[in-house]
Amino acid sequence: MPYEFEEILETIKMTQVEHFDIRTVTLGINLRDCADRDVNVICQKIYDKITRIAKNHVQIANEIEQRFGISIANKRIAVTPVSIPFDNLKKDEFIKVAETMDRAAEAVGVDYIGGFGALVQKGFTNGERELIQAIPEALAKTKRVCSSVNVASTKAGINMDAINLMSHQIKETARLTAKDGSIGCAKLVVFCNVPEDNPFVAGAFHGVSEAEASINVGISGPGVVLQAIRDAGKIDLGQLAEIIKKTAFKITRAGELIGRKVAELLGVEFGIVDISLAPTPAEGDSVADILEAMGLESVGSPGTTAALALLNDSVKKGGLMASSYVGGLSGAFIPVSEDAGMIRAVQKGNLSLEKLEAMTCVCSVGLDMIAIPGDTPEEVIAGIIADECAIGVINDKTTAVRIIPAYGKKVGDMVEYGGLLGSAPVMPVRNLTPKDFVLRGGRIPAPVRSLTN
Amino acid sequence: MNVSEQKIREITIEVLKEFGDNISPEKLREEVYKRVQSFKEKPSVSQNSMDSGRVIITSYGINKPGVVSKISTILAQNNCDIQDITQKILQEFFTMIMIVDISQSPLSFKELHDLLASAAEEMNIKIMIQHEDVFRSMHRI
């Protein structure tokens, strides 16, 4: 069928004006065959395997980018959570593993590599404890390595001991990377119900049920949705949902096409398309702007959660039809530092931590890239993480916390990261403590919802 | 890139045919290894990995004489077949969209891309070249 003039112009406009790009093409690599008694042998095996499989990853992605005229913002790597194959290692040895991952990522030209993590929703193995102990130093000593730890799931409940430990490690990471605005914390996520095929860092890893290697794609495109809503003018909410669905369909189809081509050329399996709307700090590429274009005075006003729910659900419905394999996080992201509209709302005092928490009930990821005062006590961070986990566990969805207790910073300060990480205004946290609750420790049992059989 | 066992077997049979059954095992191994390696080192996007050989060339900018002629000359010189062309002029701006079959062209996609990019710079207009697949997947179910 011939193409209409308007159809071609629409695609050109999306890519050239509205910031439509493929946010990430992530190559997942299994490391379970790299186990050994000797850490030096392990590191050699890891380095060899990553550089062998990912050797052409960036080059192929660049060629595909040029061929379709759609930019691929990030080319990344995810590996098996390293606590699983290397459970015999000690803290210092895990740091060596992180340094090896960093070197391998640098050698193949990717900016981030995910998978320095553990799944401890029910309890810790010895190796997992050692790995978690290694996280702050590992993140401080490397540039590209990202870490994620899953501390809760609908099936297992909430591991409060893990939350307490992670809260301590978050603070420690902030301290060790203080001179760079505590940037280590931007590479560390605490998850509930973590997906195994998420292509987005910092939470990306190659799950244990995945194939030897696979390509997962994350789309972007808040700018495209924003423009479609603005162009639509005054229409009712049902029609608004329809507009978003159609736009999501188109961008997901492009994502799927690109993912399949990269996978084909790399000779690995194509995994999933993650249909998340991922904002960037670029003006107009913002989820907050979409919510405001829907009619809110500012993101954070009453009605924000409803507007976000409509957006998130419509994106899913459009995306589902467009791709045979949808997975990963697949929901709108609401990071603060990476979204110009969110930053504005926080600076004006329109958006609070509590409202963000409510918003996480209806979209993916949770409290993301939020800077809080450096002197926030560990127990308070544990309380924040526990709340997010509760939302995830009870609603059978993924939630996460990527929070930055910016060392030495106070409410109102800005922490600058540059690039896709943007800049984060330090947000106030309520001066109340959940200490006696969280320090009881133990595990909150799995909810009724877990008994589905 | 991984090379499947099937592919290695095919390569081995190919070598055997070429050298005959009297080839020594060492020579066979060496020859197969060499070919598997060279097979591995070809990751670049080949023309036939795409579903169709058609691209969509979009150009826009300030209108001036000779824009269409310049682009179509480049295409003709390189054996590219223009299958459809639409042009609109809005005040001093022009937009032109061409659907072009490049499957018979001696140039690779990248070479054509670079050639058009330098022409665009010369004429101070924008030229974009994109594979047809992206439009098909976004606008056709």
Side-chain angles (χ1 to χ4, degrees):
Chain A
M1 211 189 322
Y3 303 100
E4 301 290 333
F5 194 78
E6 284 70 28
E7 289 175 335
I8 292 176
L9 283 191
E10 185 185 351
T11 300
I12 302 281
K13 201 168 111 210
M14 278 182 178
T15 52
Q16 300 293 315
V17 186
E18 296 161 5
H19 309 286
F20 171 50
D21 57 15
I22 302 301
R23 184 71 186 268
T24 178
V25 173
T26 304
L27 173 61
I29 302 173
N30 166 42
L31 291 187
R32 278 184 287 166
D33 55 353
C34 297
D36 198 274
R37 282 185 189 173
D38 180 349
V39 68
N40 294 319
V41 176
I42 289 177
C43 288
Q44 191 60 47
K45 283 185 177 178
I46 293 176
Y47 185 85
D48 290 348
K49 183 152 190 190
I50 293 175
T51 50
R52 175 168 59 84
I53 296 182
K55 188 172 79 180
N56 298 315
H57 180 42
V58 173
Q59 183 207 336
I60 286 174
N62 286 341
E63 284 185 37
I64 291 289
E65 189 172 29
Q66 190 183 56
R67 180 158 284 259
F68 293 118
I70 295 178
S71 99
I72 301 173
N74 301 298
K75 295 94 186 169
R76 286 166 176 168
I77 294 175
V79 297
T80 311
V82 294
S83 64
I84 295 173
F86 316 124
D87 204 50
N88 54 327
L89 298 186
K90 298 280 177 253
K91 177 187 166 188
D92 293 341
E93 295 170 322
F94 273 119
I95 294 170
K96 276 190 183 170
V97 168
E99 287 169 333
T100 306
M101 287 164 67
D102 203 42
R103 269 194 299 122
E106 188 178 4
V108 297
V110 301
D111 60 349
Y112 288 112
I113 177 166
F116 191 77
L119 309 171
V120 294
Q121 57 268 35
K122 204 160 181 185
F124 305 93
T125 64
N126 294 335
E128 283 163 346
R129 260 184 215 285
E130 296 287 336
L131 176 116
I132 292 175
Q133 292 299 342
I135 288 174
E137 220 173 306
L139 293 181
K141 282 187 170 166
T142 59
K143 233 173 95 184
R144 295 172 164 80
V145 175
C146 292
S147 175
S148 61
V149 176
N150 193 62
V151 296
S153 76
T154 301
K155 287 285 181 192
I158 301 173
N159 185 348
M160 192 56 84
D161 294 329
I163 292 178
N164 288 330
L165 187 54
M166 283 312 295
S167 305
H168 177 77
Q169 299 305 67
I170 289 172
K171 288 272 287 188
E172 190 60 15
T173 306
R175 190 179 66 80
L176 290 181
T177 54
K179 68 174 171 36
D180 298 313
S182 300
I183 197 168
C185 297
K187 299 183 286 175
L188 174 58
V189 202
V190 181
F191 266 103
C192 162
N193 286 329
V194 69
E196 300 204 340
D197 49 10
N198 160 29
F200 290 98
V201 296
F205 67 85
H206 188 71
V208 287
S209 56
E210 296 286 310
E212 183 67 17
S214 63
I215 285 284
N216 295 321
V217 173
I219 58 163
S220 174
V224 182
V225 175
L226 175 66
Q227 199 52 46
I229 292 174
R230 281 186 181 156
D231 290 346
K234 266 208 176 304
I235 47 174
D236 80 8
L237 295 173
Q239 291 167 313
L240 194 62
E242 195 61 27
I243 297 267
I244 299 169
K245 254 163 63 179
K246 285 184 180 152
T247 312
F249 175 84
K250 289 175 190 160
I251 58 183
T252 307
R253 290 277 281 195
E256 164 128 346
L257 171 72
I258 286 180
R260 284 192 182 279
K261 294 293 180 196
V262 174
E264 181 191 316
L265 292 172
L266 266 176
V268 304
E269 271 187 53
F270 174 68
I272 54 98
V273 181
D274 186 323
I275 53 175
S276 299
L277 277 187
T280 63
E283 200 55 46
D285 204 22
S286 148
V287 170
D289 286 358
I290 297 178
L291 301 178
E292 289 170 11
M294 283 178 167
L296 302 175
E297 183 186 344
S298 164
V299 63
S301 78
T304 301
T305 312
L308 182 60
L310 183 150
L311 171 68
N312 198 41
D313 189 58
S314 310
V315 168
K316 280 186 207 167
K317 285 172 179 164
L320 266 183
M321 168 80 182
S323 169
S324 325
Y325 298 99
V326 171
L329 296 162
S330 285
F333 290 3
I334 49 167
V336 173
S337 78
E338 299 170 2
D339 186 314
M342 295 283 178
I343 296 173
R344 256 194 318 270
V346 170
Q347 284 174 326
K348 285 186 189 158
N350 292 339
L351 184 60
S352 67
L353 202 56
E354 287 77 10
K355 189 65 187 174
L356 277 164
E357 182 186 324
M359 289 160 75
T360 65
C361 298
V362 298
C363 71
S364 65
V365 182
L367 297 173
D368 195 18
M369 288 302 286
I370 291 170
I372 57 171
D375 59 0
T376 310
E378 272 167 38
E379 302 82 35
V380 172
I381 296 176
I384 293 171
I385 298 174
D387 282 346
E388 275 304 312
C389 289
I391 291 171
V393 162
I394 298 293
N395 296 302
D396 206 358
K397 72 187 286 297
T398 304
T399 48
V401 176
R402 180 159 55 145
I403 203 163
I404 305 157
Y407 196 81
K409 303 273 183 186
K410 304 182 301 297
V411 172
D413 291 349
M414 283 296 274
V415 194
E416 300 287 341
Y417 297 114
L420 278 176
L421 293 175
S423 52
V426 177
M427 294 179 74
V429 179
R430 272 177 191 272
N431 197 14
L432 302 167
T433 178
K435 190 172 178 185
D436 293 342
F437 174 70
V438 297
L439 291 187
R440 284 171 187 267
R443 181 160 54 94
I444 298 181
V448 174
R449 182 174 277 241
S450 68
L451 302 174
T452 49
N453 298 335
Chain B
M1 198 187 320
N2 293 325
V3 180
S4 68
E5 231 171 275
Q6 175 71 26
K7 190 72 209 170
I8 295 175
R9 202 169 295 132
E10 280 170 21
I11 290 173
T12 315
I13 292 170
E14 195 182 291
V15 173
L16 278 175
K17 271 190 189 153
E18 222 172 279
F19 288 81
D21 288 344
N22 295 331
I23 183 173
S24 70
E26 290 77 31
K27 175 77 185 152
L28 178 67
R29 197 175 306 132
E30 188 190 316
E31 196 59 32
V32 170
Y33 185 76
K34 210 165 75 191
R35 293 187 190 195
V36 169
Q37 281 303 324
S38 73
F39 181 76
K40 272 185 175 172
E41 281 157 11
K42 269 188 284 177
S44 75
V45 187
S46 65
Q47 203 68 62
N48 53 18
S49 79
M50 294 297 160
D51 302 327
S52 83
R54 299 206 303 180
V55 296
I56 293 187
I57 296 175
T58 317
S59 50
Y60 61 86
I62 305 278
N63 191 33
K64 66 184 77 149
V67 173
V68 180
S69 139
K70 177 94 183 177
I71 297 174
S72 49
T73 307
I74 293 175
L75 295 175
Q77 280 168 352
N78 295 293
N79 210 17
C80 300
D81 179 28
I82 300 174
Q83 300 188 334
D84 195 0
I85 177 164
T86 325
Q87 200 202 354
K88 279 189 183 164
I89 302 218
L90 246 168
Q91 287 152 4
E92 74 271 34
F93 278 96
F94 84 96
T95 318
M96 181 173 64
I97 297 172
M98 287 172 163
I99 300 181
V100 182
D101 185 348
I102 61 166
S103 57
Q104 303 305 317
S105 172
L107 296 188
S108 71
F109 182 91
K110 191 179 176 335
E111 286 164 336
L112 188 62
H113 175 277
D114 295 346
L115 209 56
L116 288 171
S118 62
E121 205 171 310
E122 207 178 290
M123 291 186 285
N124 199 22
I125 58 169
K126 282 259 185 197
I127 303 183
M128 271 159 293
I129 169 166
Q130 286 163 292
H131 198 272
E132 182 196 11
D133 284 358
V134 70
F135 297 91
R136 190 186 309 141
S137 68
M138 285 173 85
H139 299 287
R140 297 285 176 270
I141 292 178

